[in-house]
């Protein structure tokens, strides 16, 4: 599409955003909502609308080439992502569930389930591609070096027993004899054919011709019938026309144009940065001196006006108050003097007393405030991103909404906008220099004219402020201050703690949308999430915050996530996909991987320090802990006591506290047996616990179809995917991959033309694998119900039941008891 189309799309997005902002930021605060269902419906509606804006804005940012527009779009896009995360967090707190089902909202807005898919912004990788490439190259070089040193180690001949040697010789000799025997049999068959052939007679020729005609006519008729059937199915819309299955020339050219647009963006951005430097230097040379002289004249005039109005020269505003910028605000000298005097009085007040009063007031009013909140109902939490969105929308309206760009066909940067922006920056820089000079000049004027009042200065309060702000908390000790980043990375790679993530994406984690979630919840049945829901949640909790620094600093902070599910559901794949989508480094602190490395307390402290230091320096980073339950074992098994699986139990939660909002570091634990761990310690370590179930029917159908295609198989009518999806209930994606790899071999791929794949071929290898039984899934559900969020969910459900069951008059006494219990809660 053209740049004009994307500009129009941007205008449409901004219009929708303005409507949302008017709803979220009304003139009068909305009344609290008492009905939880209505409140959640409003949250879900806002969430879906923001996701739609997010999807469109991400596409616009990916294709717009104007560098100044891209800056504003990026700001708004980060704000929208942050608002989506805030709404998700609020929905979790109000509904007490990590998974939400919005079938009714999609139906009301006439949207498809695909429209609710959380997109992974392409700028996560593209905008910092150079840094990521350098980082990947550094890790790859270290890995190659480590592999080379391992391969250079002397090759030792393996000791082989006499029986093993005889067995190898026998296998080779029997294979040779078999090949020779097959060759002799083939030659004998050829000789027999030569002797058995007879000279054809007239009757034989006619019967042969009839036979050939039958076969040919049958083949032609079957082919015609097949074509007619396919045409009918295409006409009815049951199958897709083959010409639309392969990418058409228009699609290929469109993709090429998109790639060309991205190269154009880089070119325009470089040109823009050069222009910014050149224009800044030009403005400093041409207009800098005039700005300086004008400011000095205005400040001197202010001195004289204050002297005439108040009878004395004023005190010069401090840098913290804005310096001379405070003078140029539209106020009288008398008002300015009053403001400065008021600030001095506030600074001179005894601050500890104020704090004590506030504490006392807080203690007194604490109970009242809680009661008022309970009576008021449900309110929206304050947002850190709505002010940014409002500023971004205002900037769009002021600069870009009605701008005439008929002359800027190539969408290059605009010089006048750069000048307007840089004038403010230069003015601020010059103001600092002018303030220093004018403070000295004011002091000289006071000494010369107001000798009696020249002793008082504002230096002391400023020093006090500095002394107070100078008190800082103790920094953590740097145990590796004398080492370079490269040496630390090399050591971590050699020890197997820093690894390269597998090349998988979030879209490779296949799964279907949960279509009956809302219906089941309305009937008081808690639905199991689909694999698509799991992918959505991890995109929100892990990918989006790790991908953007601005979003991570302001969004609800998530430091650690625990993925719980049976073996084969794709927990490890999701960890690697998160690293690939965000360009994050992967650190492996699994109990089995750290066993025997860095022994002792000092070694353990050094290992954690090195991992966290490198993870912060090479942000974003993911610290993966496989078999996370081993770290919090209730009782360590005898066979694992030597591995010391609980050695990180105390130190890792302590180091988790050191991760702050500006650190894009995420700890992800994976477990298939959480029942063997202490649930309190596990829940204290991981703030988010994501339960990954077995795939449902829709997900299994998609998995069979896509994985067979990926392995090289062809989907034909002979292959009954529906039956495969039905009989594979209880099997995980890992099991399905294992079965497909065992059936679709290279030889079987070559035979597909004559013998298409059938469902029966997959049944035998599938039957050899034990599925995930219902008991195992129920045990995981029961375990999850004991987590903090699971307990809240159960309490909310039982509370509703009590309210509904307490309606009859006969159970009045029970109703009162329930009310008392609720009051205690």
């Amino acid at each position: 599409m053209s740049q004009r189309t994307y500009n129009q799309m941007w205008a449409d997005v901004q219009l929708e955003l303005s409507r949302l902002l008017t709803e979220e930021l009304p003139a009068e605060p909305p009344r609290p909502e008492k009905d939880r269902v209505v409140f959640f419906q409003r949250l879900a509606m806002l969430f879906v609308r923001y996701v739609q804006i997010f999807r469109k804005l991400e596409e616009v940012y990916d294709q717009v080439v104007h560098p100044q527009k891209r800056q504003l779009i990026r700001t708004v896009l980060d704000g929208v992502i942050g608002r989506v995360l805030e709404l998700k967090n609020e929905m979790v707190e109000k509904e007490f569930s990590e998974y939400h089902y919005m079938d009714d909202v999609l139906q009301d807005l006439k949207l498809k389930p695909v429209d609710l898919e959380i997109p992974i912004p392409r700028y996560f990788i593209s905008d910092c591609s150079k840094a990521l490439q350098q980082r990947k190259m550094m890790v790859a070089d270290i890995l190659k070096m480590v592999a080379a040193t391992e391969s250079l180690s002397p090759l030792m001949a393996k000791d082989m027993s006499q029986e093993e040697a005889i067995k190898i010789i026998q296998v080779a000799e029997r294979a040779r004899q078999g090949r020779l025997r097959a060759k002799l049999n083939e030659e004998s068959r050829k000789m027999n054919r030569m002797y058995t052939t007879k000279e054809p007679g007239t009757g034989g020729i006619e019967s042969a011709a009839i036979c050939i005609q039958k076969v040919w006519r049958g083949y032609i008729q079957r082919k015609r019938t097949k074509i007619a059937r396919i045409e009918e199915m295409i006409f009815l819309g049951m199958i897709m026309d083959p010409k639309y299955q392969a990418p058409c020339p228009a699609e290929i050219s469109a993709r090429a144009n998109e790639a060309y647009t991205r190269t154009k963006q880089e070119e325009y951005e470089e040109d823009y940065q050069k222009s910014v430097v050149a224009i800044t230097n030009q403005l400093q040379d041409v207009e800098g001196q005039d700005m300086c002289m004008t400011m000095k004249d205005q400040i001197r005039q202010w001195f004289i006006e204050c002297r005439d109005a108040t009878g004395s020269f004023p005190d010069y505003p401090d840098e913290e108050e804005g310096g001379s910028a405070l003078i140029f605000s539209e106020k009288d000298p008398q008002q300015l003097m009053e403001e400065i005097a008021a600030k001095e009085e506030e600074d001179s007040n005894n601050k500890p007393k104020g704090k004590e009063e506030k504490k006392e007031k807080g203690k007194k009013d604490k109970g009242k405030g809680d009661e008022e909140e309970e009576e008021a109902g449900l309110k929206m939490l304050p947002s850190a991103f709505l002010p940014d969105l409002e500023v971004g929308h205002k900037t769009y309206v002021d600069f870009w909404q009605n701008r005439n760009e008929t002359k800027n066909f190539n969408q290059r940067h605009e010089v006048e906008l750069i000048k307007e922006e840089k004038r403010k920056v230069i003015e601020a820089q010059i103001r600092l220099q002018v303030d220093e000079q004018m403070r000295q000049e004011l002091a000289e004027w006071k000494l010369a004219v107001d000798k009696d009042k020249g002793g008082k200065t504002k230096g002391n309060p400023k020093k006090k402020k500095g002394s107070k702000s100078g008190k800082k908390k103790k920094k953590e000790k740097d145990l590796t201050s004398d080492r370079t980043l490269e040496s630390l990375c090399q050591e971590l790679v050699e020890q197997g703690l820093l690894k390269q993530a597998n090349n998988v994406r979030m879209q490779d984690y296949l799964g279907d949308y949960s279509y009956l979630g809302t219906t089941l919840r309305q009937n008081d049945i808690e639905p199991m999430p689909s694999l698509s829901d799991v992918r959505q949640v991890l995109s929100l909790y892990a990918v989006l915050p790790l991908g953007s620094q601005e979003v991570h600093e302001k969004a609800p902070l998530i430091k650690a996530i625990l993925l719980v599910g049976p073996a084969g559901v794709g927990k490890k794949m999701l960890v690697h996909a998160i690293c690939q989508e965000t360009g994050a480094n992967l650190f492996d602190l699994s109990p089995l991987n750290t066993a025997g490395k860095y022994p002792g307390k000092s070694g353990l402290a050094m290992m954690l320090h090195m991992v966290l230091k490198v993870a912060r320096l090479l942000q974003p980073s993911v610290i993966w802990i496989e078999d996370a339950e081993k770290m919090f074992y209730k009782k360590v098994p005898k066979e694992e006591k030597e591995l010391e699986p609980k050695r990180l139990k105390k130190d890792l939660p302590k180091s988790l506290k050191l991760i702050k909002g500006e650190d894009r570091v995420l700890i992800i634990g994976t477990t298939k047996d959480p029942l063997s761990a202490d649930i309190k310690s596990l829940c204290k370590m991981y703030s988010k616990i994501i339960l990954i179930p077995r795939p449902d029917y829709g997900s299994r159908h998609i998995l069979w179809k896509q994985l067979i295609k990926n392995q090289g198989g062809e989907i034909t009518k002979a292959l009954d995917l529906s039956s495969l999806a039905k009989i594979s209930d209880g099997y995980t994606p890992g099991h399905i991959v294992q079965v497909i790899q065992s059936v679709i071999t290279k030889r079987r791929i070559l035979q597909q033309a004559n013998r298409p794949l059938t469902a029966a071929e997959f049944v035998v290898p599938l039957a050899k694998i034990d599925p995930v039984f219902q008991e195992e899934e129920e045990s995981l559900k029961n375990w999850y119900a004991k987590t903090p969020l699971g307990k809240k969910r159960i309490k909310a459900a039982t509370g509703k039941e009590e309210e509904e069951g307490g309606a009859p008059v006969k159970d009045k006494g029970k109703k009162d008891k329930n009310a008392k219990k609720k009051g205690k809660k």
Side-chain angles (χ1 to χ4, degrees):
M1 291 190 287
S2 65
Q3 290 297 305
R4 184 177 179 181
T5 307
Y6 288 111
N7 286 330
Q8 184 58 45
M9 193 185 295
W10 182 29
D12 296 340
V13 168
Q14 288 291 154
L15 181 63
E16 179 62 22
L17 183 61
S18 67
R19 291 171 184 160
L20 274 174
L21 288 173
T22 52
E23 288 181 24
E24 290 216 76
L25 299 169
E28 296 181 3
R31 291 182 179 179
E33 182 61 55
K34 293 182 180 180
D35 190 347
R36 186 175 291 274
V37 176
V38 174
F39 185 76
F40 180 79
Q41 198 74 5
R42 185 189 169 201
L43 283 177
M45 187 71 75
L46 286 172
F47 179 81
V48 172
R49 290 172 69 185
Y50 270 112
V51 167
Q52 297 311 300
I53 291 175
F54 175 24
R55 292 174 64 86
K56 292 175 184 175
L57 211 55
E58 194 275 329
E59 186 180 354
V60 170
Y61 181 76
D62 184 60
Q63 289 299 307
V64 167
V65 296
H66 197 296
Q68 290 157 308
K69 288 180 182 178
R70 280 172 59 79
Q71 286 182 354
L72 179 59
I73 294 169
R74 172 68 184 273
T75 305
V76 176
L77 181 55
D78 285 338
V80 170
I81 293 172
R83 188 60 187 145
V84 167
L85 296 180
E86 285 179 339
L87 289 169
K88 174 66 178 176
N89 181 59
E90 198 159 354
M91 285 193 292
V92 171
E93 290 184 359
K94 297 298 184 291
E95 206 180 25
F96 310 117
S97 174
E98 300 290 355
Y99 300 102
H100 311 290
Y101 305 99
M102 305 175 190
D103 319 335
D104 47 351
V105 178
L106 290 177
Q107 196 171 357
D108 292 342
L109 296 176
K110 303 293 186 291
L111 297 173
K112 297 176 288 186
V114 183
D115 297 327
L116 201 58
E117 185 77 26
I118 302 295
I120 308 298
R122 284 160 277 196
Y123 73 84
F124 283 178
I125 301 296
S126 61
D127 281 14
C128 51
S129 57
K130 291 181 181 178
L132 290 175
Q133 283 175 3
Q134 290 174 359
R135 200 184 304 168
K136 282 183 179 178
M137 287 292 291
M138 182 179 70
V139 176
D141 291 342
I142 294 169
L143 285 168
K144 285 179 185 176
M145 191 166 59
V146 171
T149 52
E150 288 176 357
S151 62
L152 288 172
S153 58
L155 296 170
M156 301 295 291
K158 293 181 180 179
D159 294 333
M160 187 182 294
S161 64
Q162 188 177 3
E163 291 178 359
E164 289 176 347
I166 292 170
K167 190 175 180 181
I168 290 170
I169 293 168
Q170 284 178 342
V171 168
E173 178 60 23
R174 284 169 183 164
R176 188 191 67 79
Q177 289 178 6
R179 288 192 294 271
L180 186 62
R181 196 179 298 112
K183 189 176 180 182
L184 290 171
N185 290 336
E186 183 65 25
E187 288 177 358
S188 65
R189 280 196 295 272
K190 286 180 181 177
M191 292 294 292
N192 290 332
R193 285 195 202 101
M194 288 173 64
Y195 289 122
T196 54
T197 53
K198 298 178 181 178
E199 292 183 2
T202 55
I205 292 171
E206 286 180 4
S207 61
I210 291 168
C211 184
I212 291 168
Q213 285 175 352
K214 283 181 181 178
V215 172
W216 174 249
R217 285 170 181 168
Y219 168 75
I220 286 293
Q221 189 57 43
R222 284 191 297 274
K223 193 172 182 180
R224 286 173 183 163
T225 306
K226 187 179 179 182
I227 291 169
R229 180 169 176 77
I230 290 170
E231 287 176 353
E232 184 182 3
M233 296 294 281
I234 291 170
F235 176 74
L236 294 173
M238 299 296 289
I239 59 173
M240 189 181 287
D241 196 334
K243 68 180 181 182
Y244 296 122
Q245 292 176 0
C248 61
E251 288 179 343
I252 295 168
S253 63
R255 289 172 189 170
N257 287 335
E258 287 180 3
Y260 174 68
T261 302
R262 293 188 188 99
T263 57
K264 226 175 182 182
Q265 285 174 358
E266 296 177 4
E267 179 192 337
Y268 284 12
E269 184 65 28
E270 288 178 10
D271 191 17
Y272 169 67
Q273 295 298 337
K274 290 177 183 176
S275 297
V276 167
V277 175
I279 290 169
T280 305
N281 295 333
Q282 183 186 357
L283 287 173
Q284 285 177 343
D285 295 340
V286 176
E287 300 181 13
Q289 192 66 26
D290 293 339
M291 284 183 186
C292 183
M293 295 301 295
T294 306
M295 284 183 198
K296 286 182 177 179
D297 292 340
Q298 289 175 343
I299 293 167
R300 288 191 188 103
Q301 183 66 27
W302 179 69
F303 291 163
I304 295 165
E305 288 177 1
C306 286
R307 168 75 175 172
D308 295 340
T310 61
S312 62
F313 285 115
D315 291 330
Y316 206 92
D318 295 332
E319 287 183 17
E320 295 174 0
E321 296 168 355
S324 58
L326 191 67
I327 299 167
F328 300 133
S329 58
E330 296 178 359
K331 292 176 183 177
D332 298 332
Q334 188 68 31
Q335 291 175 341
L336 286 171
M337 292 297 292
E338 288 173 1
E339 280 186 5
I340 293 168
K343 284 181 182 177
E344 286 178 3
E345 286 178 8
E346 285 177 8
D347 293 338
S348 62
N349 284 337
N350 198 354
K351 288 180 181 177
K353 286 182 181 178
K355 286 181 182 177
E356 288 171 9
E357 287 173 7
K358 284 179 184 176
K359 284 180 183 177
E360 288 173 6
K361 286 180 183 177
K363 287 177 183 177
K364 289 176 184 177
D365 299 336
K366 196 174 182 182
K368 292 180 182 178
D370 291 341
E371 288 173 9
E372 284 175 5
E373 282 180 10
E374 288 176 3
E375 291 174 3
L378 300 170
K379 294 181 181 179
M380 296 278 284
L381 296 173
S383 172
F385 292 95
L386 282 177
D388 296 342
L389 287 173
E390 198 173 13
V391 171
H393 180 66
K394 188 177 183 302
T395 307
Y396 167 77
V397 172
D398 293 344
F399 288 96
W400 299 108
Q401 188 173 21
N402 299 317
R403 198 174 193 85
N404 186 8
E405 292 188 287
T406 52
K407 294 181 180 179
N408 191 8
F409 179 75
N410 292 324
Q411 290 291 289
R412 289 187 174 273
H413 62 270
E414 298 192 20
V415 177
E416 289 303 320
L417 287 176
I418 299 175
K419 286 182 178 179
E420 288 177 18
E421 185 182 349
K422 290 300 166 186
R423 275 195 189 100
K424 295 175 183 177
V425 176
I426 293 167
E427 188 177 345
Q429 292 173 356
I430 292 172
R431 190 180 300 284
L432 293 174
Q433 301 171 3
V434 169
D435 285 351
E436 291 179 7
Q437 296 173 7
M438 296 310 293
R439 279 192 188 95
Q440 295 176 1
E441 189 172 329
L442 180 61
E444 292 172 2
W445 282 24
K446 283 183 178 181
L447 286 172
V449 181
D450 301 332
K451 291 182 181 179
D452 297 336
K453 299 178 183 179
K456 292 182 181 180
T457 59
K458 291 184 75 177
N460 293 333
K462 197 173 179 181
K463 284 180 185 176
K464 284 180 185 177
K465 282 182 187 176
S467 64
K468 284 178 185 176
S469 62
K471 292 179 183 178
K472 294 181 181 177
K473 293 181 181 178
K474 291 182 180 178
K475 293 182 179 179
E476 54 179 316
K477 293 180 181 178
D478 191 356
L479 302 175
T480 55
S481 57
D482 57 338
R483 295 184 60 181
T484 61
L485 179 62
E486 286 77 10
S487 66
L488 292 172
C489 288
Q490 185 172 348
E491 184 175 341
L492 290 174
V493 170
E494 287 172 356
Q495 294 293 333
L497 300 178
L498 177 57
K499 297 183 176 180
Q500 213 161 15
N502 298 336
N503 189 18
V504 290
R505 300 283 179 181
M506 291 298 286
Q507 62 186 7
D508 297 333
Y509 190 76
L510 303 170
D512 199 10
Y513 182 77
S514 183
Y515 296 97
L516 295 174
T518 306
T519 308
L520 290 172
R521 277 195 173 169
Q522 286 172 353
N523 294 317
D524 295 330
I525 301 171
E526 186 60 28
M528 284 302 287
S530 67
L531 299 186
S532 172
D533 297 327
V534 174
R535 184 177 66 237
Q536 294 284 83
V537 165
L538 281 174
S539 297
L540 289 165
Y541 287 164
V543 178
L544 296 183
L546 281 178
S548 174
Q549 183 69 34
E550 293 78 8
V551 173
H552 193 274
E553 288 178 0
K554 294 182 180 180
L557 184 60
I558 297 172
K559 296 182 181 181
I561 298 173
L562 181 66
L563 305 181
V564 182
V569 291
K571 300 183 291 293
K572 182 179 176 182
M573 178 186 175
L574 284 168
V575 174
H576 287 271
I578 289 166
C579 294
Q580 282 294 333
E581 294 290 2
T582 57
N585 298 294
L586 181 63
F587 298 87
D588 188 358
L589 286 183
S590 305
L592 294 178
N593 191 42
T594 57
K597 298 172 184 176
Y598 298 96
K601 288 186 177 179
S602 58
L604 184 62
M606 176 61 77
M607 179 181 72
L608 284 174
H609 170 75
M610 287 171 61
V611 168
L612 280 173
K613 183 178 179 180
V614 175
R616 285 171 178 164
L617 292 172
L618 298 179
Q619 299 181 31
S621 299
V622 170
I623 299 174
W624 175 38
I625 301 171
E626 191 177 14
D627 297 328
E629 79 281 356
K630 295 180 185 293
M631 197 182 296
F632 302 101
Y633 265 145
K634 294 175 185 174
K635 186 179 179 182
V636 181
K638 291 181 181 179
E639 61 272 11
E640 294 186 20
K641 280 186 178 178
E642 294 180 359
L643 302 176
E644 296 182 64
K646 297 174 71 173
R647 64 191 296 233
L648 287 171
K649 181 180 179 179
K650 291 181 180 178
D651 293 331
L652 190 61
K654 288 179 184 176
S655 57
L656 182 66
K657 294 177 182 177
L658 301 174
I659 299 173
K660 298 176 183 176
E662 60 270 14
D663 300 326
R664 284 189 289 160
V665 179
L666 180 67
I667 296 176
I668 302 179
T670 57
T671 175
K672 59 186 176 186
D673 184 25
L675 300 169
S676 60
D678 179 27
I679 190 167
K680 287 185 179 178
S681 306
L682 202 65
C683 294
K684 193 175 180 182
M685 170 79 183
Y686 297 98
S687 58
K688 293 289 181 184
I689 298 175
I690 309 298
L691 184 62
I692 306 176
R694 306 176 300 172
D696 55 4
Y697 172 81
S699 298
R700 292 196 301 273
H701 192 281
I702 290 173
L703 281 165
W704 280 110
K705 185 176 181 180
Q706 196 61 42
L707 292 174
I708 287 173
K709 282 183 179 178
N710 294 346
Q711 192 66 18
E714 292 180 7
I715 307 296
T716 60
K717 291 179 183 178
L719 181 59
D720 190 356
L721 289 175
S722 181
S723 298
L724 269 180
K726 188 69 178 172
I727 64 170
S728 58
D729 186 14
Y731 290 91
T732 64
H735 294 151
I736 295 172
V737 170
Q738 186 180 339
V739 169
I740 289 170
Q741 287 176 349
S742 66
V743 172
I744 305 178
T745 58
K746 289 182 180 178
R747 185 181 178 190
R748 187 67 186 87
I749 291 170
L750 296 173
Q751 294 173 350
Q752 284 184 113
N754 299 323
R755 188 163 63 90
L757 288 169
T758 58
E761 295 179 62
F762 298 94
V763 174
V764 176
L766 192 67
K768 294 178 182 178
I769 302 171
D770 291 331
V772 178
F773 295 104
Q774 192 72 27
E775 293 79 8
E776 185 179 348
E777 187 166 322
E778 287 298 326
S779 65
L780 286 175
K781 277 186 187 178
N782 295 333
W783 176 87
Y784 186 77
K786 296 174 185 176
T787 61
L789 198 65
K791 287 179 181 177
K792 289 179 183 178
R793 180 76 188 164
I794 291 170
K795 281 182 183 178
T798 52
K800 286 178 184 177
E801 287 171 9
E802 285 171 3
E803 286 175 9
E804 289 169 4
V809 183
K810 292 178 183 178
D811 300 332
K812 195 174 180 182
K814 292 182 181 179
K815 192 177 179 183
D816 293 338
K817 286 179 184 178
N818 291 335
K820 287 179 184 177
K821 285 181 184 178
K822 283 183 186 177
K824 287 178 184 177
K825 287 178 187 176

